[in-house]
């Protein structure tokens, strides 16, 4: 890692580095830096993104379903692994039937009840089931203080500045 980056020891005794205003695990940060250095967008790119605990698991499950196509249950990657284990490739939905299949496979109810998501862990011993909460709009208010909400809104507005997107 770059010696000029601010480094701390996290709660689980692993190194975290601050890069562009975010604290990152070195393996994630290296990939992110590489992506930033090499990625060239084209006009028809679609970007699906969310912050942690705001639906990123669901977005990744959607990507996996789109990537793998209409697979039978026993071939479905989501039955075998947590969505975070797969790198998504975005493809266009060909018809309404494909879309319905993806929506069913990616439903929060199905994902949180798959055996692979009821046990095991992704990294840092964070259980897979911690990625699936109630799935109710506004439930974040049960997990964040007013101060946390204001800080997140302020940071998000700052990061969106000049992008044409607004909070």
């Amino acid at each position: 890692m770059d010696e000029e980056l601010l480094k701390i020891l996290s709660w689980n005794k692993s190194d975290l580095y601050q890069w562009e205003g975010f604290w990152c695990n070195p393996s994630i940060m290296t990939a992110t830096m590489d992506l930033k250095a090499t990625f060239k967008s084209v006009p028809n790119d679609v970007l699906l993104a969310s912050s942690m605990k705001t639906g990123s698991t669901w977005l990744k499950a959607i990507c996996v379903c789109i990537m793998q196509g209409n697979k039978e249950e026993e071939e479905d990657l989501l039955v075998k692994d947590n969505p975070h284990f797969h790198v998504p490739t975005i493809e266009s939905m060909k018809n309404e039937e494909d879309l319905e299949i993806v929506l069913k496979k990616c439903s929060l109810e199905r994902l949180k009840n798959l055996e692979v998501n009821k046990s095991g862990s992704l990294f840092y011993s964070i259980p897979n089931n911690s990625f699936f909460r109630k799935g109710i709009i506004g439930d974040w208010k049960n997990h964040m203080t007013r101060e946390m909400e204001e800080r997140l809104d302020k940071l998000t507005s700052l990061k969106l500045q000049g992008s044409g997107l607004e909070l």
Side-chain angles (χ1 to χ4, degrees), residues 74-85:
E74 61 273 1
E75 298 174 340
D76 185 356
L77 293 174
L78 295 174
V79 172
K80 298 174 183 170
D81 291 311
N82 183 283
H84 290 278
F85 285 108

Side-chain angles (χ1 to χ4, degrees), residues 13-25:
K13 309 238 186 297
S14 67
D15 291 334
L16 290 179
Y17 292 87
Q18 190 175 47
W19 181 65
E20 296 198 0
F22 293 93
W23 290 100
C24 306
N25 171 286

Side-chain angles (χ1 to χ4, degrees), residues 48-71:
L48 294 177
S50 72
S51 297
M52 291 182 355
K53 305 312 292 173
T54 62
S56 58
T57 304
W58 183 70
L59 285 176
K60 287 182 180 187
I62 289 173
C63 292
V64 170
C65 275
I66 291 170
M67 177 184 72
Q68 72 180 358
N70 188 12
K71 299 282 186 190

Side-chain angles (χ1 to χ4, degrees), residues 121-137:
S121 64
L122 185 59
F123 43 70
Y124 301 130
S125 301
I126 299 171
N128 287 346
N129 66 6
S130 67
F131 293 99
F132 302 93
R133 293 192 322 242
K134 295 178 185 176
I136 297 172
I137 295 171

Side-chain angles (χ1 to χ4, degrees), residues 35-161:
L35 177 67
K36 184 176 182 188
T38 60
F39 179 75
K40 302 290 182 235
S41 65
V42 295
N44 64 346
D45 279 346
V46 174
L47 177 66
L48 294 177
S50 72
S51 297
M52 291 182 355
K53 305 312 292 173
T54 62
S56 58
T57 304
W58 183 70
L59 285 176
K60 287 182 180 187
I62 289 173
C63 292
V64 170
C65 275
I66 291 170
M67 177 184 72
Q68 72 180 358
N70 188 12
K71 299 282 186 190
E72 295 297 322
E73 188 78 8
E74 61 273 1
E75 298 174 340
D76 185 356
L77 293 174
L78 295 174
V79 172
K80 298 174 183 170
D81 291 311
N82 183 283
H84 290 278
F85 285 108
H86 300 281
V87 177
T89 300
I90 307 295
E91 297 174 1
S92 298
M93 298 308 301
K94 306 221 180 350
N95 58 47
E96 189 79 20
E97 184 179 314
D98 287 345
L99 178 61
E100 289 300 320
I101 291 167
V102 168
L103 291 175
K104 180 182 176 212
K105 285 185 175 185
C106 296
S107 72
L108 183 65
E109 196 62 37
R110 177 179 182 259
L111 290 173
K112 72 180 179 183
N113 288 310
L114 289 174
E115 199 56 43
V116 69
N117 294 324
K118 288 181 181 180
S119 60
S121 64
L122 185 59
F123 43 70
Y124 301 130
S125 301
I126 299 171
N128 287 346
N129 66 6
S130 67
F131 293 99
F132 302 93
R133 293 192 322 242
K134 295 178 185 176
I136 297 172
I137 295 171
D139 187 46
W140 63 269
K141 292 178 182 176
N142 295 319
H143 304 276
M144 295 176 67
T145 65
R146 182 78 177 143
E147 180 186 356
M148 293 166 74
E149 174 191 4
E150 289 169 0
R151 287 183 64 204
L152 183 59
D153 285 350
K154 185 177 178 181
L155 179 62
T156 303
S157 293
L158 179 67
K159 291 296 180 180
L160 292 176
Q161 193 172 17

